[in-house]
Each structure stands twice: as C-alpha cells, then as structure tokens.
Amino acid sequence: MSEDRKIRILVAKPGLDGHDRGAKVIASAFRDAGFEVIYTGLHQTPEMIVSAAVQEDVDVVAMSVLSGAHMTLFPRVKELLDEAGADHVLLTGGGIIPEEDMAALEAQGIGRLFGPGTTTTAAIDYVNEWFASRPSV
Amino acid sequence: MSTIERELLDRAELEEAVRDRDREISELKARLAEWEEVYDSVPKRDAVFSTVSGREVRPLYTELDRGGGADALGFPGSYPFTRGPYTSMYRTRLWTMRQFAGFATAEETNARYKYLLEHGQTGLSVAFDFPTLMGFDSDHARSLGEVGVCGVAISSLADMEQLFDGIPLDQVSVSMTINGPAIILFCFYVAAAEKQGVDPKVLRGTVQNDILKEYQAQHAWVFPPEPALRCIVDMFEWCSEHTPKYNPISISGYHIREAGATAAEELAFTLRNGFEYVERGIARGLDVDAFAPRLSFFFDIHNDFFEEIAKLRAARRIWARGMKERYGAKNPDSWRLRTHCQTAGVTLTAQQPENNIVRVAYQAMAAALGGTQSLHTNSMDETLSLPTEKAVRIALRSQQILAYESGVANTIDPLAGSYFVERLTDDLERDALDLFEEIDALGGVVPGIEQGWFQQRIAASAMRQQREVESGDRVVVGVNHFLEGSEKLEIETLRIDAAIEKRQVKKMAEMRAGRDDAAVQATLAALRDACATEENVVPRILDCARAYCTLYEIRAAMEEIFGAYKEPVFF
Amino acid sequence: MTDTAGPLPRHESLLARFREGKPIALARAISMVEDERPGFQEFLHTVMASGPAARRVGFTGPPGAGKSSLVAAAATAYRASQEHVGVVAVDPTSPYSGGALLGDRIRMNDLATDPGIFIRSMATRGSLGGLATTTKEVVDLMDAFGFDRVLVETVGVGQTELEITAAADSVVVVLVPESGDAIQAMKAGLMEIADIFVVNKADRPGAPRLVRELRQALHLRAGSAMKDIPAHHGVDLGQAMKRERTTDAPPPRAGGWEIPVLTTNALTNEGLDELLETIQRHRNWLEESGTLTERRRERAAVRIRDVVDRELRRVAWASEGSRELLEVGVDRISRGKGTPYSAAEQILSALLR
C-alpha cells in the first residue's frame, strides 16, 4: 500500500441474491492483505450501499453480483456515488458477468470487474495498483 | 458319533478356521508391508493426494480396511439401505432425468418445458427468479432489475396457470425449487392443478421447502426460524392427508456444499436438518410414519468421484439407523432415504467451458454409482448465464449416454465391497456422527444457527478451498493449470430481455384490476388469524391463492404475525 | 494555538461543509483524524471550541455479547424520538495482517438510509484496548457535528477498558451467559467502568445465575452486603434474608448511582425500554449530581495528557539527533557497554538542552 495509510473497502451484496460465499471470501482475503473491510451484509439496495460508502469514506466499493442484474446495479450505484460527491471512489466487483458486459460497464466509468475463477490475489493487486496510481485527492 | 464328539469336531474345525484366517491376515499384512517398502522407495508425483474435502487418501486400500460386517452393508431395498433404497434400482427404472429450468416469463418457461418433455426429459423442475424466491412480486420496488433474470417470475396463481398451460399436472411430476415462501408457491401449484380439474391426491412432485439450510447457507429466507418451521410442519400435516404422493420437502445438502462445506459437513448438516424436521413433526403429534416416507433429499455431486459415491451410501445408512433406532419409525419407507442429485455448479469454470461437459459427465457417473433417484446435470455455459438450448441438450444427453451406453446401470451398487469405497463410506459416517455430537453440544440446529456455528464452519472450509486453488495445490484445469486454449470462445450466452420486467408489471396491474378485492381482503384476514393461532395455514393460503392474492400480499400478511428474519453475520 | 485559531487553509472548505451538516464532510473529517493527517488537530480544535453537547453512551463487553444488536435497537429507538444519532463501531485490527473485518453495520441495515443516523466503523489499528487511539477524537467530531446522541461500541477485550470512560458519559457493559461468570467480569476490570450492566440473550440458561452473581459482586464491591443487617442480637433473619433475595433492589453505592443489572433479549427487544430509561436516569443523575462536570474534567485531563504525550513522542523521534543517539546506544549495548538507561539519558539530555 502506498501513501502508507489503510485502504478502506466496502464489500456489498446488492439485490435479493443471498449467495455470499464469494463476497465473504473476498472480504476475508482483503482483510488478510491489510485492508480495512466494511462488509454490508446481504440484500443491499444501491441507496444503502452508497450511504454506507459515504459514511465510511471508503476508497473502494466492491459488489458481488451473481444474479445477472449487474447491468442495472453497477450503473445505478455509480450514479448515486457521483451524486453524493464520492466520484473518487473505485467501483469494482465480480460475479457472473460476461466479458462484453464488463467492457460496457468499464466504458461507463466503472472499474475492472472479475468473473468466476478469479483469484483473490488478482483482485487485491488490481486495487493496490489503482490506489497507487490514482491522482491525489 | 455322539453329540460331544460332533461338537468337539465342530469346535476343532472352528478353531482351525480361525487359525487359517489369522494366518491369512498375517500374510496379508506381511505382503502389504513388502509392497509398502517398494512403494516408499520409488519417487512420487508432486501432488496433493486428498479429496477436495481435504480428506487424505492413502495409496492403497486392502481387505484390512474393511470395517463393519455384512449387516452394515445389507441388501438394496432393505435396512440399512447402504446399497440402495430400492430392491431393484435401475433394473426396474432408471433415475429420473430432471433438468432444472425456468426463466423470464411463465410463457417462455412453459415453452422450454414442452421442449424438454419432447426431448425425453421425464420430470419438470421449476427455477424461480430472485424476487419470487424472496417473496416479492414482480412489481415490487425491491424487484427492480431482477425480474425473470434467474428463473421464472411467479407472483400469483395466474402466473402458475400460465406456467403449466397445456401440461397435464396429473401426468407430469413437478419439482419446485423454492424455500422461504415455499408454502405459498405450493398453494399456487395445487390451485393451478385444481383449475385443470386435477385431484390433489394424484399430484406428484417436490417442493424444496428446506428452510434450515437457508439460514445456514443459501440465505433465501423470509420468516424467522420458529414460524418457518411451523409452516413446514403444517405442510407435512396437510400433504400427508391431501397430497400423499407429493414430497413436501427436499432436505438439501447441495447449497451447503456449494457455499463451501466439505463432503462430511454436507452429509452431517443435511441429515441433522432432516432429523430436526422429524422431531418437529413428532412434537406436533404427527405419527412419524405418516409423514417421514415423503421426506426426500437433495445432494450435491462434487468432483471427487469416490468420495461422492461413498457419501450417498453413508447418507442412506445414517438416515436409516437414525429413523429406526432414535425416532422409532416402523415403516421401512420412513427409513429409506431417497435423493435427487445435482452436479456441482461450483466446479464449473468459465475458462474453457467445454471442459465442463467432461466434469459433469464424471460427476453424473458418480451420482449413478451412488444410487441417486433423480439427477440434474449442469450445462457447460452456466458459469456465464442461463444455459442455451444446445448446452442443455448436451447435459441431458450426458445422462442418456450414461444410462444407456456405459453399462453402470446394469447392476446395483457395483462398487460395494471395494476396499476403498467401503472404507470411505465408514469414514464419512463416522465424521458425520462426530459432527452430530458437536451440534448437540450447541443445543441443536436452531441454537447452532443463531450462534453462527454452521455459517462459520462453511466459511472456513470455503476459505481453505480457495487457498488451495490459489496456491496451485489443487489443480483446476484451465484455471490454474493447462491454460492453453483459454482464448475467447464463442459460447452464445442467453440474455434476458429487460422488457420482460415491464410486461410482467403490466400483467400484474391487469390482474389486480380484474379480481374481487373483497375476497382478497377477506382471505388475507383469515390467513392472519390462522397464523396467530395453531390452525393449519395451508387451507387459508389456498383460499388466498384462489382469490388471486399476490405472493407479496400473502407473505406480508404472514410476516405481520410472524415477524421478519434479521440476519446474523458470521465469518 | 489560540482559542480562536482556525483550521489549516486547505481544510477551510471541509470545515464549511462540516458546519453545514453535510455527512460526507463528517466522513472525510473522521478519516483525517483517524489517520492523524496534518492539520487534524487544528481542525478538532476549531470544531470543539463550543464544548461537548451530545449525550455519549458507550457499549462494551466480550465478543458475541450482542452489543451491535443492542446499539442498533437503541439507535432505532432514539430515531423514533426524532433524535439525531451518531454511531462509532470499533472492531479489532488483525495483528498479523494489519487489516480488519468491520461487520457491525450489518446489524443496522434497517437504518442504512435514514439520514438522521451516521454509522462509522473503525479498526483498533494496533491500539491495545477496545478502542482505536483516535476513537475519542472521532466521538468529539460527531459531537461537534451536532448529533444529539453518540453511541460508541467497542471490542471489549478487557485490557484497557478505561479508554471507553474517556469517550462516553455513560458506559453500558453487555455480557451474555456464555461469557463466563461474574468473576471474569471483575478480572477484566469491567466492574470499575460500568455504569449499567446488561445481561443479553436473557432467555438462555445461565442468564439468571449470571445476573445473581453480578449483583452479588456489586454488593460486595460496595461493601454493603451486610449493611442492612442490624447488630447480631437484634437480628431479624427473616428481614435480612428477604432483602438479600430482593435482587430487584439495586445495590447501594457511595455517591448515589446504584449500578443496576438489567436483562435484555436483543432479538425480541425485550428489556430495551428499561435499558433506555436507565440510560436516561443515569444521564439525569450525572447532571444533577455534578458528576458529569467531574467526568468531563477527567476527560479533558486525559485528552490533554494524550495529546501532549503524542506530541512529545513525535518531537522526540522526529529529531535526527535522537535517532542517531538511539543507534549509538544500541550499538554500545550489543558490545556489552552501557544500558538502555544510559542511552535514554543521552537522548533526553540532547533534547532538553
């Protein structure tokens, strides 16, 4: 971690899907890698996620979406983050997301997304690199 | 010859036989030691020789590993059913090839069902979308973006009627995968059958309705544990009288396994949940033999071929023993564990998806050798989205090739007597019994859930497996090894049209406009009253269904009395 | 720093938004304070100038006691009376990785979009007690931001629980039947800091026993166990025993606040009303008895010492001379010459010259 401060990351499960194995594994992995992880629990609406992200002043929001609703959920959270003045926050995540959709979302300003089979190391490296290279806030 | 002489002779023969046997065993041990010496002196592959559950596997198993005697094994169709729940198994009837399906609207799902029935599928399986699974109508605010995406949207009896339009419910068995609001969807189904003129007494099928594993693993709950268990027992009661051919519960290990549990944990948690339901039924005053025969099971079939076969065999034995010895069931049907299996979704890879066809084939074979009663095989493209028709067809063909070409269905429980398989079966049984003790020490299943014990164990097993894969200790072909060939492949993935949500919302508005509001209010009020007392809620929900109350309306009425569940979180 | 000194120029716009009551400004200010970024002390100084106003309640106790659920229930109740609530939830930093898994928000999901509640999760970041070193300052920020109530929830590992008294006016200690007996509570130093004891999960077996033991332990501490029994030849055992058995009567304590032992079931909200009333009663007593002023004085003293200690440490080691002398000292000791004491003396003389 550069800047020698703790990176704060919000791990969220939006929508009605309750399969949280991936979210919990990611949350534990980030904790083991030295991050401060705020885990929101299940059944989050975009509003709940952004409210938490703002209050916790996180650097990163990571959403786990397995239900196929990613094309609605990611843009909506990005929209709300921007509205709340938190446009410096990296919005990333993973789940069952086809590559074309990942590209489409990246074009909308959302960060890289990770499909099934991604290692936790890849996700952690990505966040660290992003943090190190982002413009100072 | 006098009796005494004869006795002495028998005794001498006996002693001789024992000496012979001892000699055999010593010889076996000696030869094993010789083999071990040679084995130890040669180089080994650099690999981890354990099952995916972390169970170490020895290089060789011999007769010395044989545990319990012939009565631990028994015969197929009789106690303790290790070799199979039925006497003639696949010689009489193959397992049911039941592919899980459901997406978007009731009409499209209806079309897919007709397609599958034409192509030889023998039972229908309904997958619901997330709003339905969680008890929300398609037009509820919380459903935004999720309608029809992971399964079919059913918000009222009208949708259920459309789902089975042209499909004779007295001839086709239907399995519905739903838990939290299961009792409501079950009533929609019964009411839809009624509309077809079908007597509930002939209905065949299953509703998953296993709420305990939801708190432990899948998290698709609605009400808190006690009211939820009450509803389940209400269903046991009602179904044993009105739908005697129907399975009101499918006690599931699949989700527990998929959430990260090991084979032993899947086995133990599932069976312990099952015993909990039995205890609740008995506590209600039901005769155990009146409802236990209709309890059915649902297990995962993961990668380790032999572990999965042993798991099913151990499951049958543990259940039989528990039902007979602990719960005093007298009817053999109560001792007999019948199960549906599904190949493990969590083992499918997005990289090199065609490899999944092979994984599923091996898993299916394990299911057949384990003696499953029905099987769903995953499609190769399911890591990316709902499966295409072609992928589903291949998955179904996998079962057909297995059943008709491979020969494994020719004889019953062919691996019985295998030193390894019998040893694994014994070990899994013992591990499960150890876990039962731990659960009892916590105070039982519901206290265990409240304390987060199950959730923590599952999360820990999940983390261990993740580490094994990431470190490369556990090879996943195409993901952490053998990566050539991982270029982008044109798998046509299925897209759910966003307009579907709009159509569903419109349909619901029309339905609401066309129904009798007074009947809606009256039936909901009666339901609330039933929830607050000990009256069986099923007839009341049926009334609501017939009045075209929506799923959410019914759920909300029940929740008013039962309260909502607050998730405790444990890592 | 004068009494009226302002923040660093770069923080002026943050201050303005903070004063406007913008949650994002509070969030950013908290991060600045938590990380001890340059200017954080000036910022705190500016916003704290008007003095504390919020009613601060601390919740502590062993892990698994259900503190989060109680805090959530309390926050919900305060919101129902239209109060604005700030919550600080502290969880331990992993000593191995330096990371932390902060999961207390989950219990408060119902409050997640309520604009009248602000929840912040903090990791202890190497601090030994149940709080992070900057938790008290974060509570000050929330107070200054304008919340009516600030609730602080700590890890409750027991070592330096005294930290919580420096952050809160009323301290609620939450125990559960599984968390061992009252003796453990005494050992953990919880007796010294508790204003209110709560036995949560009161439906569990073992709860009544724990309640009894706590009450007895509190009686003993107050030295009042035998107080009401008259001299031996006038003794009326029936009366005396009846008093002992009346476990509803709080034990007497010098100074007037009788530490009660309450029971709750956070899942059903049973006992919650009584807990909130008791917290209010404690508040009233604090104000009426002048103890609040006392506590605030103690708190101010602790804080001044903290800041001075922190600055001294920083100044001492910021000097290159100190660092060089440290190296010299270590070298000498490893060669068998000198001791840490002689080395320290060198450093101090150099600094104080």
Side-chain angles (χ1 to χ4, degrees), chain B residues 183 187 230 238 519-520 522-531 533 535-547 549 554 558:
Chain B
I183 195 171
C187 289
R230 172 263 178 96
W238 194 89
V520 166
T523 51
L524 289 174
L527 174 58
R528 266 183 231 112
D529 289 341
C531 289
T533 64
E535 190 190 332
N536 191 307
V537 294
V538 176
R540 297 282 163 239
I541 302 176
L542 277 170
D543 288 337
C544 293
R546 294 180 192 115
C549 296
I554 299 172
M558 297 172 78

Side-chain angles (χ1 to χ4, degrees), chain A residues 31 36-37 51 55-57, chain C residues 31 97 100 102 105 112 121 125:
Chain A
R31 186 266 317 270
E36 286 179 356
V37 182
S51 169
Q55 290 177 10
E56 302 286 355
D57 195 21
Chain C
S31 300
S97 70
L102 312 173
R105 282 196 89 92
S121 312
R125 291 192 182 174

Side-chain angles (χ1 to χ4, degrees), chain A residues 80-94:
Chain A
L80 290 173
L81 279 170
D82 290 348
E83 266 170 35
D87 54 350
H88 57 278
V89 170
L90 170 67
L91 178 58
T92 174

Side-chain angles (χ1 to χ4, degrees), chain A residues 15-21 24-25 28-29 39 42-43 45 67-69 96 99-101 116-121, chain B residues 130-131 134 136 142 145-146 149-150 218-219 258-260 346 351 383-384 462 465-466 470 488 495 567 570-571:
Chain A
L16 297 170
D17 167 29
H19 296 97
D20 57 1
R21 173 178 181 168
K24 284 185 176 170
V25 163
S28 299
Y39 180 63
L42 298 170
H43 311 139
T45 62
S67 61
I96 311 276
E99 281 192 23
E100 316 86 87
D101 290 357
T118 305
T119 60
T120 53
T121 320
Chain B
F130 268 110
M134 297 298 292
F136 291 104
R142 294 294 301 270
E146 305 207 56
V149 177
C150 277
Q218 184 166 240
H219 310 316
E258 295 285 298
V346 85
Q351 296 80 352
T383 50
L384 301 173
Q465 286 171 70
Q466 184 71 19
E470 290 200 16
K488 218 152 303 167
R495 298 305 192 137
E567 174 200 3
F570 302 94
F571 285 87

